[in-house]
Amino acid sequence: MKPATRRVLGVAVAAALVAFVLPLYRRSINLSDEGYLLLQALDLLEGKVLYRDMDAFVTPGIWILLAGLFKIVEPSVLASRWVSLGAYLASVAVAARIAMHFAGRSAGPRLALATTAAFAVFSVWAFPVWTYAFYSPFGVLFSLAGAERLLTWNAGRHRRDLVLAGLAFGLAIAFKQNYGTFAVLGAGLGLIALHVSEGRGRATALGGLAVCVAGVSAGVLAVAGCVIAYLLAQGSLAAAFESLIVHPFVFAGQHDVPYPSVGLLWASEPFVGADRLTYGAYSLYTTRTPAEWVRWARLLERLHILLYAAAPLVLASAAVLTLRGLPRREPAARDLALLLGVCGGLFLGVFPRADYNHLINVYPALLVLGAVTLHGFAQLAPRPRPLWLRGITVAGVSLALVYVAVAAHWYVAQITSLSKPLHVRRGGVLVRPEQAEALHTLVSIVQGESEPGDTLLTVPDLSMVNFLSERSMPSPYYNLYQHHIGHDGGAGVVAGAEATRAPLAVTRYSNFFSDRVGLRDYAPALTDYLATHFSLDYGVANDDFL
């Protein structure tokens, strides 16, 4: 393919991808995680200090990025989605470059196109997890960018690529500490495997490895130094250490969600009760089943279990190719060792909370690793293809088409059902008509019953209501789940509400589906305060909001 033709094709594919995913990025709203990130970014811009004045357990990258955005444009949910769209498109571009690297000039465009198509299909399966501004997509993006730079280094052995890889891994850590840390550790294992496989003397191998570690470390430490300097300047380094290093281990013990067994594929009901919420995509429980036989066979639930089963299968298959080729000093195997290390590290980020949202967060890495691994096995396949291999190929393509068909059904369903503009100043997105009405009513009540500058107590996970109604949070706690406020029974939230004389509270007394302990048990000080200091004036959306 001529370079000019390749450029035209690349532009056409990029335009088609944007046209496909843009409607998804304009739709849905997340009242909890998205809400607290947007509100805290705005509060950061207005002088509050992260970790000291605002409770958070993830490194500050996304907050700084959103605060910078809101300094340039009017704060809104829609404005933040452009940042998320940029991260998605950059991830696809990096994944396509990795695919091109492995497939070469002849097959590279085809593999890159297939990888891009997989990203498009999974943007629907992931909806809306990939579409709102969140730290996980950026952590995965920069981890993959680090892997791409290591592959480039391995091709040309320019030390600047090691430093660039380290900078990318450092940014991954700056956006999500566990993703970035696991990715760089995985990259280290890949570099060890690469140097051992080169068959040189021990001293030469150790010297080469030391050069690699020094280059990558220089990039990581450059980013880490900037983050630490920022925290020092804000006077929040000690608080950040507690939030980012100490607390995640406490959180892991309270909110672990087990990885589902592949044996659920044969269960009569793979998901029972709340398991559909924990292990299923948003569209699984918000979209009508396309046919009665699909509902009867629990096909959609089984497709979700297959996604869980596919993840370790992809990693194991890549490991087989790597171990086969390394003793033979095959260049592709050494490259695959690097990519496998990074993607395997990212997969560890699913644990210990293996709900569907955490799985799908790292699926971009599994998609690109899967594409490269399939290409590797295709190169090894005998020609002409034996009958058994043709059968496996037909079965695999048929299964892929089933995922495409489900994605098409869900895509149309979300585009048509999320159709009502959210007519508040900081909205701009399209949601379900009943949700638009409820949120408009809720924001109108808050703005009518309070004054600008008042605080609003939202319980337990309604920070988006504060953001939309332009009312601040009364305490450092923006999400009121157990791992945020359980340490003092909610007393810190009460103290903040009393200190700011919060005139209103908006609550929904429902327990988060993956929490073992309910609000009344882990935050008795808060529930007693609400019961004794407030009276019920309004119920909105059939008392979903009080």
Side-chain angles (χ1 to χ4, degrees):
M1 184 182 296
K2 295 181 179 180
T5 305
R6 186 177 298 173
R7 285 194 292 269
V8 171
L9 178 62
V11 171
V13 170
L17 181 65
V18 171
F20 179 78
V21 300
L22 188 58
L24 296 176
Y25 278 80
R26 295 186 59 235
R27 283 168 166 81
S28 83
I29 190 168
N30 184 305
L31 301 184
S32 55
D33 288 345
E34 183 178 25
Y36 95 78
L37 281 174
L38 297 185
L39 184 62
Q40 287 188 329
L42 194 58
D43 287 348
L44 181 68
L45 186 61
E46 294 178 352
K48 284 190 177 181
V49 175
L50 198 62
Y51 312 118
R52 189 191 71 191
D53 304 327
M54 297 183 289
D55 181 54
F57 305 127
V58 178
T59 36
I62 189 64
W63 284 271
I64 295 172
L65 180 62
L66 289 173
L69 173 71
F70 293 155
K71 191 174 181 65
I72 300 170
V73 302
E74 183 74 16
S76 71
V77 179
L78 183 60
S80 72
R81 299 291 174 85
W82 294 110
V83 170
S84 183
L85 177 61
Y88 172 80
L89 295 176
S91 297
V92 176
V94 170
R97 281 184 62 89
I98 292 173
M100 293 280 288
H101 177 91
F102 278 90
R105 288 181 175 271
S106 58
R110 292 194 297 273
L111 188 61
L113 183 60
T115 304
T116 301
F119 269 78
V121 171
F122 272 82
S123 66
V124 183
W125 276 85
F127 180 80
V129 176
W130 291 1
T131 59
Y132 63 88
F134 204 52
Y135 35 75
S136 295
F138 286 91
V140 173
L141 163 61
F142 288 117
S143 296
L144 290 178
E148 190 277 331
R149 282 296 90 192
L150 286 180
L151 295 173
T152 303
W153 164 81
N154 198 31
R157 297 296 171 117
H158 298 298
R159 293 183 183 180
R160 67 172 181 273
D161 290 316
L162 292 172
V163 178
L164 290 173
L167 287 172
F169 289 130
L171 287 171
I173 296 172
F175 276 86
K176 197 166 193 296
Q177 65 269 37
N178 62 327
Y179 283 10
T181 300
F182 289 147
V184 76
L185 291 176
L189 292 176
L191 287 169
I192 292 172
L194 184 149
H195 282 87
V196 170
S197 71
E198 287 182 341
R200 300 179 182 180
R202 180 179 299 178
T204 303
L206 288 175
L209 182 60
V211 169
C212 292
V213 171
V216 173
S217 298
V220 172
L221 291 174
V223 177
C226 292
V227 173
I228 291 172
Y230 168 77
L231 296 173
L232 279 171
Q234 296 290 311
S236 61
L237 184 60
F241 179 83
E242 180 70 24
S243 294
L244 303 178
I245 307 299
V246 177
H247 183 85
F249 290 99
V250 178
F251 170 67
Q254 294 177 345
H255 286 254
D256 55 304
V257 176
Y259 204 84
S261 168
V262 69
L264 291 174
L265 278 173
W266 297 277
S268 59
E269 292 191 27
F271 295 154
V272 179
D275 286 346
R276 282 174 64 90
L277 299 174
T278 302
Y279 295 114
Y282 169 84
S283 298
L284 176 66
Y285 52 87
T286 60
T287 303
R288 179 186 292 273
T289 304
E292 179 61 24
W293 72 267
V294 173
R295 186 201 65 78
W296 176 81
R298 303 292 185 189
L299 176 63
L300 297 179
E301 289 90 335
R302 298 182 204 282
L303 290 174
H304 282 76
I305 297 300
L306 275 177
L307 290 182
Y308 277 94
L313 179 61
V314 167
L315 294 169
S317 300
V320 168
L321 274 182
T322 303
L323 294 174
R324 177 191 177 279
L326 280 180
R328 305 177 186 184
R329 302 178 190 175
E330 295 176 359
R334 293 201 293 269
D335 283 341
L336 192 55
L338 295 174
L339 182 62
L340 173 60
V342 173
C343 294
L346 281 171
F347 180 66
L348 293 178
V350 175
F351 302 96
R353 193 171 175 78
D355 56 75
Y356 184 80
N357 283 356
H358 283 74
L359 174 74
I360 211 66
N361 277 334
V362 303
Y363 238 84
L366 298 170
L367 292 179
V368 65
L369 182 63
V372 167
T373 302
L374 283 174
H375 173 75
F377 277 113
Q379 295 297 104
L380 297 175
R383 290 175 175 78
R385 302 282 196 268
L387 185 61
W388 65 269
L389 186 55
R390 294 180 188 180
I392 291 176
T393 302
V394 170
V397 171
S398 300
L399 181 60
L401 290 176
V402 172
Y403 280 98
V404 172
V406 173
H409 172 71
W410 282 351
Y411 182 86
V412 172
Q414 301 306 345
I415 297 302
T416 54
S417 64
L418 300 168
S419 57
K420 183 73 171 178
L422 184 57
H423 285 307
V424 297
R425 192 164 75 95
R426 291 182 176 175
V429 292
L430 301 173
V431 298
R432 295 180 183 276
E434 64 273 16
Q435 188 178 29
E437 180 180 355
L439 289 176
H440 184 269
T441 301
L442 195 56
V443 170
S444 298
I445 290 172
V446 170
Q447 292 180 333
E449 297 287 336
S450 61
E451 299 293 332
D454 281 345
T455 60
L456 173 68
L457 176 58
T458 46
V459 183
D461 56 352
L462 299 173
S463 299
M464 182 62 80
V465 178
N466 296 75
F467 181 78
L468 295 177
S469 60
E470 303 181 39
R471 298 295 185 265
S472 58
M473 195 65 72
S475 79
Y477 303 100
Y478 286 57
N479 270 359
L480 308 185
Y481 298 144
Q482 181 186 11
H483 66 281
H484 292 271
I485 65 171
H487 61 281
D488 63 1
V493 180
V494 174
E498 286 282 84
T500 60
R501 302 184 63 80
L504 293 176
V506 178
T507 74
R508 54 180 180 191
Y509 280 107
S510 61
N511 291 331
F512 187 56
F513 56 82
S514 291
D515 276 358
R516 295 193 184 97
V517 184
L519 179 70
R520 297 176 188 274
D521 295 315
Y522 70 76
L526 175 59
T527 53
D528 289 347
Y529 175 68
L530 289 169
T532 57
H533 287 71
F534 291 84
S535 61
L536 178 59
D537 289 339
Y538 299 96
V540 179
N542 295 321
D543 290 346
D544 283 347
F545 306 104
L546 303 178

